[in-house]
Amino acid sequence: GEDVEQSLFLSVREGDSSVINCTYTDSSSTYLYWYKQEPGAGLQLLTYIFSNMDMKQDQRLTVLLNKKDKHLSLRIADTQTGDSAIYFCAENRDTGFQKLVFGTGTRLLVSP
Amino acid sequence: EAGVAQSPRYKIIEKRQSVAFWCNPISGHATLYWYQQILGQGPKLLIQFQNNGVVDDSQLPKDRFSAERLKGVDSTLKIQPAKLEDSAVYLCASSPNRGQGNEKLFFGSGTQLSVL
């Protein structure tokens, strides 16, 4: 299909790890991204991964990429209440020019 | 460095009225995007400019939506006439587009439109 899919909701306790999953559509996408959206704000780039990598770590964030299954995940270690937000994955489709297509978003709720 | 500026922050109109949104991207950013984000969904690209030229407007409802970026800097998005289903947050984003194929978008806070 054309849609980048994510599960709608994830609830964790403070200090636990969170794993947010994404299935993208275009196997030729060169870069894949994770954006964070807090209430009433625009999207903020968290991290990205190049398609020839299968893992990228950036402080508390770990991105895993399975190109064969077109599956992307974001792991947040030691999740804090400030991590509560909506997380969007996005793929960079090359249609002659670079075009970002966003997923449906996963709302992460972190409880104390 | 100043971020992407958008105005107004909120707008409430009645259906069939017209509305315009304004965006000032980060200085020097060549690419400007308008996204529509309906409640509970991810952002959907409406139009993408490279400097003052349109590179993608395939998902822009051209019978009612128009956008321009006359001098390759700021941009306006207009809806005329508005429909109920246009209620959404309209996000503007820009990227430096250094030709590396890694498009890092910087987003404004958006304009929340309610059509009654």
Side-chain angles (χ1 to χ4, degrees):
Chain A
E2 288 291 316
D3 293 340
V4 178
E5 296 184 347
Q6 301 179 236
S7 52
L8 283 179
F9 187 75
L10 176 65
S11 179
V12 301
R13 290 200 177 272
E14 194 172 24
D16 289 349
S17 292
S18 307
V19 180
I20 301 171
N21 296 303
C22 169
T23 303
Y24 61 98
T25 62
D26 189 350
S27 57
S28 64
S29 290
T30 51
Y31 289 90
L32 297 136
Y33 304 84
W34 283 102
Y35 280 80
K36 176 183 180 182
Q37 186 177 35
E38 297 186 74
L43 281 71
Q44 174 192 5
L45 178 65
L46 280 180
T47 187
Y48 65 93
I49 188 167
F50 187 45
S51 59
N52 70 349
M53 300 169 64
D54 53 19
M55 188 183 88
K56 178 180 179 181
Q57 187 146 5
D58 185 358
Q59 299 183 341
R60 293 191 297 122
L61 305 178
T62 302
V63 179
L64 296 177
L65 175 61
N66 180 331
K67 280 194 74 174
K68 174 176 170 290
D69 295 337
K70 290 185 278 189
H71 184 264
L72 182 73
S73 68
L74 174 69
R75 179 178 181 270
I76 306 173
D78 187 25
T79 314
Q80 303 297 307
T81 54
D83 295 325
S84 294
I86 303 176
Y87 291 80
F88 293 93
C89 65
E91 60 177 344
N92 192 355
R93 294 183 187 172
D94 187 347
T95 58
F97 47 85
Q98 304 297 318
K99 175 179 177 177
L100 248 62
V101 177
F102 285 87
T104 48
T106 299
R107 182 179 294 273
L108 174 65
L109 178 64
V110 183
S111 53
Chain B
E1 179 182 73
V4 176
Q6 287 189 249
S7 67
R9 189 75 177 88
Y10 303 94
K11 190 73 177 177
I12 300 174
I13 61 172
E14 295 186 347
K15 60 184 180 184
R16 291 188 288 272
Q17 286 187 321
S18 301
V19 65
F21 313 125
W22 175 81
C23 172
N24 192 14
I26 293 173
S27 177
H29 279 196
T31 308
L32 185 147
Y33 311 78
W34 283 103
Y35 281 86
Q36 180 192 57
Q37 187 177 20
I38 292 172
L39 186 64
Q41 298 181 19
K44 183 185 86 170
L45 180 68
L46 292 175
I47 189 166
Q48 178 176 343
F49 291 95
Q50 178 76 15
N51 297 309
N52 61 348
V54 175
V55 296
D56 185 0
D57 62 358
S58 57
Q59 296 190 90
L60 187 74
K62 298 180 187 62
D63 58 333
R64 299 184 300 106
F65 286 64
S66 63
E68 59 184 14
R69 192 185 184 199
L70 288 175
K71 295 182 180 178
V73 181
D74 57 349
S75 174
T76 55
L77 175 70
K78 296 178 182 177
I79 308 175
Q80 179 179 11
K83 292 186 176 181
L84 297 176
E85 59 260 36
D86 298 331
S87 294
V89 176
Y90 290 84
L91 294 166
C92 179
S94 68
S95 70
N97 192 30
R98 298 192 176 101
Q100 297 170 339
N102 185 0
E103 292 298 314
K104 298 176 187 175
L105 271 60
F106 296 81
F107 281 84
S109 298
T111 295
Q112 186 169 332
L113 174 67
S114 298
V115 182
L116 307 178

